[in-house]
Amino acid sequence: MSNDVMADNAQVETKPKPPVRAKVFIIYTGGTIGMVPSDPNNTASPLIPANKESLEPFIRDVEKEGIYWEIGGLTDKKGNPVPPLDSSNVNHEHWVYMAEAIEDKYDDVDGFVVLHGTDTMAYTASGLSFLLANLAKPVVITGSQLPIFQLRSDAIQNLVNAIYIAGYKATGLPLVPEVTICFADSLLRGNRTTKVSTTSMRGFDSPNYPRLGEIGEHIRINTDLVRPPANNEQSPFYIHRELNANVMDIGIFPGLGPKQLKTVLKSPDLEGVVLRTFGAGNAPSDPPEFVSVIGDSIDSGKVVLNVTQCVQGGVEMGLYEASSGLLERGVISGMDMTAEAALAKMMWILVTEKGHERQTQLQIGQRGEQSENLFDVRYPIEIGPDKAKPVISESASPAGQFRKAALNRAMLRVAGVGFKGLADDEVLEVRIFVNLPGANESTSTKVPQYAGSFNYQESQGTTIMKDITTTVKRVVEDGRPIYINIVPVGDHPMLCKGLFLALFAKAE
Ligand code: ASP
């Protein structure tokens, strides 16, 4: 690696260089870290990015640790250099340029540091995590709240810590083969982060995932939280070069009406929406047009992914009536993803998947961006009054990645339930069987496939939820369809608008 040190004085020049123990490639994209006042004579003038050469004097000392480095910038599609940017001007195409810079040097170095503005750093970290496939080397993104040229800057600390983590072979730190953000006292999984402060030196947090590393007097990596490296002998590293930015991030708010929403959702090029909802995934159920506008856009081929506006926690659709409508109309769950990760994942999935597989893969963790996978089994069923059935017996398969061993919870949801000939005060027992397609009223409740029952009364509402985790764990086999039989006890044919099985499994 060529970076012959221009020694500042003769004394340094005569010292032997330590042997190379790690090689790090630094990609300078811009951001406050490298900014200087636009008017050199006026420190209060607006900050603009300086060139990469002006950062080099601040990096040299890491060679004392045996970390050798090279610094480069981005190159666009036509091969032209991209000038350092304020990160507000970084878009999804720049994420691809970053991925290409990493691909270029992947075989030559041990790790990467990306210098980036803080404003959109969490988006870039998310985007890069999806673009880089089979990653086995650290990609550490950092920046700073104050320019490196200022006396009180946090830049040197952030930069050197990032280089130490990327140059793990020299520093003896554990390998962190992920896209991370190194900022202040924390090393965070990149696609779990969000910018939480415009002023604090602790500018980032990952509210739904613990810190991968704590940086103090020592750097401590929590190795059990770090994703394992890909085996690049068997699964070579590669990058995705395309993202689809025909997406929108729509935050709902009290007062947002179906009309306004429709205007946005009707835009012709729109393909994917990240809907930022209240609490655990809720949206107005009144007026009903609010949900139908969203549902209609899904029927017309758009993908709508629900994430929470809350800083911490995630979406659990169906928990409240205010999210049931969204679930039933085909809105999918972003679980505990950040809005940044959800948006980047949408841009990526719209390119890598087609048709219903988009919905399926959006709900499954791809790069550690969510804590749980949701295998959403939707049984194709709609039984109206004219066709009421004595027993509902349906089968459907979860996505191929479903592994029963990772199952945390199986929730059955029967929507729009009704029974013919039921008196107002009559209580009806309804039994559920899993993987026993022939089950009916005379089937014993002692069989292992029996998942329990619920009591139904006309007055109680039309959505039934039932936790059937134990039975699913007992009788379901990986790679096979799951049969659900719903059996009313007594002669009351059943109506039903939808049958859903949500399988929540630990994400890898
Ligand atoms: N505006 C700057 C940027 O994001 C802010 C920063 O780097 O902290 O590029």
Side-chain angles (χ1 to χ4, degrees), residues 31-33 35 85-88 116-120 144-145 195:
T32 294
I33 191 163
M35 287 194 184
L85 300 165
D86 185 296
S87 74
S88 296
H116 196 286
T118 61
D119 289 348
T120 66
S144 62
Q145 296 285 37
K195 183 173 177 178

Side-chain angles (χ1 to χ4, degrees), residues 442-502:
S442 52
T443 305
S444 161
T445 55
K446 298 266 173 346
V447 295
Q449 293 92 340
Y450 177 59
S453 66
F454 59 86
N455 287 331
Y456 181 85
Q457 223 177 336
E458 278 300 314
S459 57
Q460 73 175 45
T462 60
T463 298
I464 306 296
M465 302 255 282
K466 181 90 185 153
D467 187 333
I468 57 168
T469 312
T470 315
T471 317
V472 168
K473 278 194 171 161
R474 197 162 48 214
V475 302
V476 163
E477 281 175 42
D478 290 345
R480 302 273 290 270
I482 302 177
Y483 289 87
I484 299 289
N485 275 34
I486 303 189
V487 182
V489 182
D491 190 18
H492 291 292
M494 185 172 174
L495 326 170
C496 172
K497 281 213 187 110
L499 188 62
F500 308 87
L501 178 61

Side-chain angles (χ1 to χ4, degrees), residues 255-402:
L256 174 65
K259 250 192 181 168
Q260 293 147 282
L261 196 57
K262 193 170 177 177
T263 316
V264 183
L265 291 175
K266 274 201 124 176
S267 41
D269 292 335
L270 186 65
E271 290 181 62
V273 173
V274 171
L275 192 70
R276 281 182 302 107
T277 55
F278 307 131
N282 303 318
S285 51
D286 181 26
E289 290 76 33
F290 195 94
V291 170
S292 45
V293 161
I294 297 171
D296 292 350
S297 80
I298 294 169
D299 293 346
S300 76
K302 295 178 174 61
V303 184
V304 181
L305 180 63
N306 189 349
V307 298
T308 178
Q309 293 178 7
C310 295
V311 176
Q312 197 161 31
V315 155
E316 200 169 334
M317 281 190 290
L319 194 62
Y320 294 95
E321 194 58 38
S323 64
S324 298
L326 297 179
L327 178 68
E328 282 155 28
R329 289 301 306 265
V331 173
I332 51 170
S333 174
M335 312 297 284
D336 64 350
M337 266 193 285
T338 61
E340 293 91 330
L343 210 71
K345 189 175 180 181
M346 179 72 84
M347 289 184 183
W348 178 67
I349 288 279
L350 288 177
V351 174
T352 56
E353 305 293 347
K354 279 177 93 173
H356 190 70
E357 203 55 30
R358 288 176 168 178
Q359 275 90 336
T360 302
Q361 294 306 326
L362 276 167
Q363 293 187 115
I364 296 175
Q366 310 285 338
R367 304 281 196 265
E369 72 280 10
Q370 61 194 59
S371 307
E372 272 193 321
N373 292 332
L374 173 54
F375 295 89
D376 204 1
V377 190
R378 289 173 188 242
Y379 293 80
I381 175 176
E382 168 96 59
I383 302 169
D386 45 328
K387 289 197 196 123
K389 284 191 172 179
V391 169
I392 288 180
S393 177
E394 293 290 331
S395 84
S397 297
Q401 290 112 309
F402 175 67

